[in-house]
Amino acid sequence: MASFAQWIAGARPRTLPNAVAPVVAGTGAAAWLHAAVWWKALLALTVALAFVIGVNYANDYSDGIRGTDDVRAGPVRLVGARLATPRAVLTAALVSLFVGSVAGLALALVSAPWLIAVGVGCVAGAWLYTGGSKPYGYSGLGEAAVFVFFGLVAVLGTQFTQALRVDWVGLVLAVAIGALSSSVLVANNLRDIPTDTQSGKITLAVRLGDRRTRLLYHALLVTAGVMTLILLAATPWCAVGLVATPLALRADRPVRAGLGGPELIPVLRDTGLAMVVWSAGVALALSLAG
């Protein structure tokens, strides 16, 4: 039986910034339009957190039963390490996705019912990442999905449910968050290139190889920086987002130095922290200027 601490580790806390940052950014975009609604922001945060945790447990389950996690360079996995039964981890995944779906349904009903269809797409995307007969995470499409779901959908969805419209500021924020969120997965898959290659998990990092994956990580960080400069057209106060630069540089250091394996684990933490700090700073600036 897995301990409580192991179940928490199985939820992959280092990925939770991927849930928090889009909601913070989207709420900032709504505030820019003088339309922030705090209780809708909390509902959106519940959706995002539940879905990220659900994706992580579903990934643990699917990779575990396939044997992909039998040999790992990263943190321990519940099924792969035989700490919990596949059924128990699957149940945890389904419960998390159910909680997110209920919160998402409530948010859609008080905002725009057609968002239910978007929610269904998000649930399907969460499961099919590593689940099903042809998981897209095994075909090099994981980063693209993260960009869409945790960038465009999460940020613009949060803005729309509060303001009932989106604008160019929300789109720029969505691109920046999508790039940073994708960079977390890029770092994760960079670390796992040797073991994923051995197990037949063909991620984008496996396709690109070590050197080009590192270049992609750098490019995604630069993209977020460029988006920050574009946001200055909305208000110069968005320059406060640059306070995340030291964190981004710290995250980039092991990647730039050519480190691998467990030495890349801190990159996920620092990239996530940079994303949260950036989103909070920019959201605050937009709220004050809106």
Side-chain angles (χ1 to χ4, degrees):
M1 292 290 292
S3 67
F4 178 75
Q6 288 169 331
W7 276 105
I8 294 297
R12 308 184 195 182
R14 288 187 180 89
T15 65
L16 295 186
N18 294 55
V20 176
V23 176
V24 172
T27 300
W32 168 251
L33 297 176
H34 308 282
V37 182
W38 68 268
W39 60 268
K40 286 188 175 183
L42 288 179
L43 269 178
L45 182 60
T46 301
V47 174
L49 286 170
F51 275 7
V52 167
I53 293 172
V55 167
N56 290 338
Y57 281 134
N59 178 246
D60 191 309
Y61 165 78
S62 297
D63 281 350
I65 62 174
R66 285 188 171 92
T68 308
D69 283 344
D70 288 351
V71 179
R72 284 189 54 77
V76 69
R77 293 292 177 255
L78 295 170
V79 176
R82 312 297 190 270
L83 295 172
T85 65
R87 183 183 182 89
V89 176
L90 175 60
T91 299
L94 293 177
V95 168
S96 299
L97 293 175
F98 176 76
V99 170
S101 297
V102 170
L105 177 61
L107 187 57
L109 290 176
V110 297
S111 302
W114 60 263
L115 288 173
I116 295 173
V118 177
V120 171
C122 291
V123 173
W127 178 254
L128 296 175
Y129 173 52
T130 54
S133 59
K134 293 183 178 180
Y136 64 84
Y138 282 46
S139 302
L141 297 175
E143 285 79 1
V146 167
F147 182 86
V148 171
F149 289 117
F150 293 107
L152 301 182
V153 173
V155 175
L156 294 177
T158 299
Q159 184 186 28
F160 182 85
T161 55
Q162 296 178 55
L164 299 182
R165 66 187 179 99
V166 297
D167 69 344
W168 72 270
V169 170
L171 180 59
V172 173
L173 286 166
V175 171
I177 292 294
L180 289 171
S181 195
S182 296
S183 70
V184 175
L185 183 58
V186 169
N188 181 80
N189 290 341
L190 171 63
R191 180 199 66 207
D192 291 342
I193 286 177
T195 54
D196 284 346
T197 301
Q198 179 182 342
S199 63
K201 184 176 182 179
I202 310 303
T203 63
L204 181 60
V206 171
R207 291 183 183 276
L208 293 177
D210 185 276
R211 185 182 67 84
R212 288 189 293 179
T213 300
R214 293 177 192 273
L215 291 175
L216 175 60
Y217 179 83
H218 302 323
L220 290 169
L221 293 188
V222 170
T223 298
V226 171
M227 293 302 105
T228 306
L229 298 180
I230 293 175
L231 285 170
L232 297 181
T235 171
W237 287 107
C238 281
V240 73
L242 296 175
V243 300
T245 301
L247 283 170
L249 292 175
R250 188 173 74 178
D252 185 59
R253 193 174 300 121
V255 178
R256 192 172 60 252
L259 302 182
E263 293 175 308
L264 289 173
I265 293 176
V267 177
L268 279 69
R269 176 200 64 207
D270 292 338
T271 307
L273 287 174
M275 179 165 51
V276 170
V277 170
W278 182 87
S279 64
V282 173
L284 178 61
L286 292 170
S287 299
L288 295 175

